[in-house]
Amino acid sequence: MNKPIRAVSIFCMFLFLALMANVTYVQFVKSGSYNKDPRNARVAEASYSRERGQIIVGDEPVATSKPVDDRYKYLRVYPEAGARMFAPVTGYLQLGSQTGIERSQNAVLTGEDPQLFVTRLVDLLKGETAQGGNVVLTLDAAAQKAAFEGLRDTLGPRGEGSVVAIQPKTGRILAMASYPSYDPNELASHDSAKASAAYQQLDADEREPLLNRAIRTRLFPGSTFKLVTAAAAIENGKFHAGDQVPAGATYQPPGTSHRIANDGRSQCSPAKISFATAMEWSCNTTFAQLAVDVGPDKMRAQAEAFGFNSDYLRDLQGQVQSVYPADVEVPESEGGGTRELSLAETAQTGIGQNTVQATPLQMAMVTAAIANQGTLMRPYLVEKVQTAGFNVLRTSEPEVFNEHAVSAQTAGELTQLLEATVDNGTASPAAIPGVKVAGKTGTAQRGDSLCSAGGKPPYAWFVSFAPAEDAEVAVAVMIEEAPDVACGEIAGGQLGGPIAKAVMEAVLKK
């Protein structure tokens, strides 16, 4: 073989080897991720061409597929009555894009999940097209309706907010509402131009209707974080529910000239008050001093025991971590690096300000752990997986996330304080006749200026659980924007309390 032919032969051999290596890589290494990638139009087209499984709440489907006479054979539909209400959880199915449960449970819904292998085999032997499996959610339809309609009716058409309700003993998510929402039917259309236009309009909306605020929006939790501060103080033996605690009209944390006040609540003005009074009237000067007394490392440890700085939700993608600051960055001009929180910063974290931030799901978990005698359960949304014929393949089992977020004794003391806050204090709008309710308000300031002095309106929060002695539901309400409500009327108890009450009543069937 002469030299030119030998060179060409060797070059062709290398090309062949490179081709084989690439085919092996794509077929055996990357095929799984390609098949799961929602941007893979071929997979999406295949899923449209067979009957996708249902997403079910109670006994009713909230997402199903219907036969149509076009190239894709089946159209994903969301019942009009609950489409917007359930959309933040179900998500939507669109060619090249899936969100929510439609995305996280795609393998089950398309029938590709290994649990459905036998079903696929039977369908194959019968000569029938395989159908996808069903996903049954933990949501309580009545609680979800109360949460969504409560936000809509309270906040008005320009409002923004979220509600999460959890069953404390199991971690089952009973409600997860986000407002504003959207109609997923508009995005599931087989008319790609129409679907694209609908998405562009929603994506450009400043109120972000496509955003699931329950797991993706974190804000200053304000006074609802005082549950964490109080837990840290009791767990570390600083005070107990029956003790007198430090208070005062104002408090100047160490190392700063800034003074923390109580927004005019005179009940907080004495130098010492009962722990119950401090919780009932949400005294900033008390909880700032408790945080300083506990110290930043133990405050952080308590927050992390409730789930801050970690991921815990497996059934939906995109959860953002709630934050208790681990350290503070030092400017390069001062030497760079990081340092621990100062006592002044720690005081601010004790009242849910500084850089403490939480999602509605996180604050529902804090409340649920207290309601469950200190044991924090992992939250979950998928109750069961079924075949298309409704035979149960898998039922989710409750999982302990932290067995000792606080001790049972601390949880009991906190429950006493929160009951008193509903009975005698700022959380009274959540009271339910004949039921012991435990609750806490929160109003988180944005910036240094108060709303009444021309500053931005605050964020409003409310957390509660009931019945207090044996809780069936824990709720967190977050009000992000309420432009149709007078600035001075934006407060956790006033706006969030009635919504939380409606959700608790729906679960308790009151």
Side-chain angles (χ1 to χ4, degrees):
M1 185 181 294
N2 61 37
K3 187 174 180 180
I5 292 177
R6 185 167 61 248
V8 169
S9 298
I10 292 172
F11 179 68
C12 288
M13 183 182 70
F14 274 114
L15 288 178
F16 178 75
L17 291 174
L19 178 63
M20 292 304 296
N22 188 56
V23 168
T24 301
Y25 177 72
V26 170
Q27 292 293 328
F28 295 97
V29 178
K30 296 295 290 184
S31 60
S33 60
Y34 287 157
N35 286 334
K36 293 178 181 176
D37 193 331
R39 296 167 297 178
N40 188 335
R42 294 186 63 183
V43 174
E45 285 197 27
S47 70
Y48 270 73
S49 299
R50 60 188 174 199
E51 188 167 0
R52 189 176 175 88
Q54 300 180 9
I55 301 174
I56 299 171
V57 172
D59 296 325
E60 299 294 328
V62 294
T64 187
S65 295
K66 72 173 185 181
V68 291
D69 186 19
D70 65 18
R71 61 180 289 197
Y72 297 118
K73 298 183 181 177
Y74 287 95
L75 175 67
R76 197 63 166 166
V77 292
Y78 304 85
E80 188 175 346
R84 292 177 185 274
M85 185 189 311
F86 292 105
V89 176
T90 62
Y92 61 85
L93 178 71
Q94 190 178 48
L95 280 174
S97 178
Q98 304 157 16
T99 62
I101 291 294
E102 293 279 25
R103 179 173 182 176
S104 68
Q105 302 300 313
N106 186 57
V108 172
L109 294 168
T110 58
E112 297 295 331
D113 191 280
Q115 298 172 92
L116 293 163
F117 172 76
V118 174
T119 304
R120 285 201 306 273
L121 185 61
V122 170
D123 288 337
L124 180 64
L125 293 174
K126 289 181 177 177
E128 298 175 352
T129 303
Q131 294 183 29
N134 302 322
V135 175
V136 181
L137 303 182
T138 59
L139 296 179
D140 178 314
Q144 184 76 5
K145 185 172 187 289
F148 183 80
E149 293 184 352
L151 289 169
R152 182 195 64 192
D153 297 344
T154 302
L155 306 184
R158 297 188 298 160
E160 299 170 18
S162 177
V163 176
V164 176
I166 293 178
Q167 189 176 62
K169 292 186 178 70
T170 62
R172 296 175 71 235
I173 295 176
L174 303 173
M176 179 177 281
S178 182
Y179 185 80
S181 186
Y182 62 96
D183 184 351
N185 290 297
E186 297 174 356
L187 301 173
S189 170
H190 288 179
D191 182 335
S192 58
K194 186 178 178 182
S196 178
Y199 177 81
Q200 295 298 332
Q201 183 177 3
L202 290 167
D203 190 47
D205 191 328
E206 292 182 351
R207 298 185 306 149
E208 300 182 282
L210 293 172
L211 182 69
N212 184 352
R213 288 177 160 78
I215 61 171
R216 302 199 63 182
T217 296
R218 62 185 183 203
L219 306 173
F220 304 126
S223 294
T224 55
F225 192 79
K226 290 170 182 172
L227 273 63
V228 180
T229 306
I234 297 172
E235 279 287 279
N236 288 283
K238 301 292 184 181
F239 296 96
H240 290 282
D243 290 345
Q244 295 282 303
V245 292
T250 62
Y251 168 62
Q252 183 174 334
T256 180
S257 58
H258 177 73
R259 301 190 75 85
I260 293 172
N262 295 309
D263 296 333
R265 291 186 288 272
S266 59
Q267 297 87 347
C268 309
S269 295
K272 286 199 171 186
I273 58 178
S274 71
F275 209 156
T277 299
M279 189 68 84
E280 288 167 12
W281 296 100
S282 198
C283 298
N284 290 335
T285 51
T286 293
F287 290 94
Q289 291 180 75
L290 293 186
V292 170
D293 198 8
V294 170
D297 53 343
K298 291 180 180 176
M299 281 291 294
R300 183 181 308 109
Q302 184 60 72
E304 292 181 345
F306 282 119
F308 280 75
N309 300 338
S310 63
D311 297 313
Y312 32 75
L313 183 63
R314 294 170 174 163
D315 293 337
L316 286 181
Q317 296 173 331
Q319 177 213 334
V320 298
Q321 290 186 359
S322 297
V323 176
Y324 188 90
D327 45 39
V328 178
E329 290 192 7
V330 178
E332 289 297 327
S333 59
E334 299 175 16
T338 59
R339 61 168 173 78
E340 178 59 279
L341 289 174
S342 69
L343 291 180
E345 291 160 343
T346 302
Q348 288 289 339
T349 68
I351 57 174
Q353 298 281 170
N354 190 256
T355 51
V356 174
Q357 292 199 325
T359 64
L361 176 60
Q362 175 62 73
M363 293 316 299
M365 288 176 63
V366 171
T367 313
I370 295 169
N372 194 32
Q373 300 183 10
T375 298
L376 177 62
M377 305 300 291
R378 182 185 295 279
Y380 65 100
L381 269 165
V382 175
E383 182 77 55
K384 298 176 185 173
V385 170
Q386 303 173 332
T387 65
F390 302 101
N391 295 314
V392 176
L393 294 172
R394 175 173 61 83
T395 300
S396 299
E397 295 295 331
E399 179 183 343
V400 173
F401 184 74
N402 187 348
E403 190 170 1
H404 298 292
V406 291
S407 69
Q409 180 178 340
T410 297
E413 293 186 35
L414 288 167
T415 300
Q416 291 176 29
L417 296 173
L418 296 176
E419 280 184 56
T421 305
V422 173
D423 292 342
N424 311 310
T426 55
S428 60
I432 301 173
V435 178
K436 275 289 185 183
V437 178
K440 180 75 187 78
T441 59
T443 305
Q445 188 176 322
R446 281 192 277 183
D448 293 331
S449 299
L450 293 174
C451 179
S452 56
K456 292 181 179 179
Y459 303 126
W461 290 81
F462 196 92
V463 295
S464 61
F465 60 88
E469 64 276 16
D470 187 19
E472 296 180 30
V473 56
V475 184
V477 180
M478 180 269 286
I479 308 297
E480 186 175 358
E481 300 286 354
D484 294 329
V485 178
C487 188
E489 296 178 4
I490 298 177
Q494 194 161 342
L495 298 185
I499 298 175
K501 177 184 177 183
V503 174
M504 291 187 293
E505 287 178 327
V507 174
L508 300 176
K509 297 180 173 51
K510 291 292 180 181

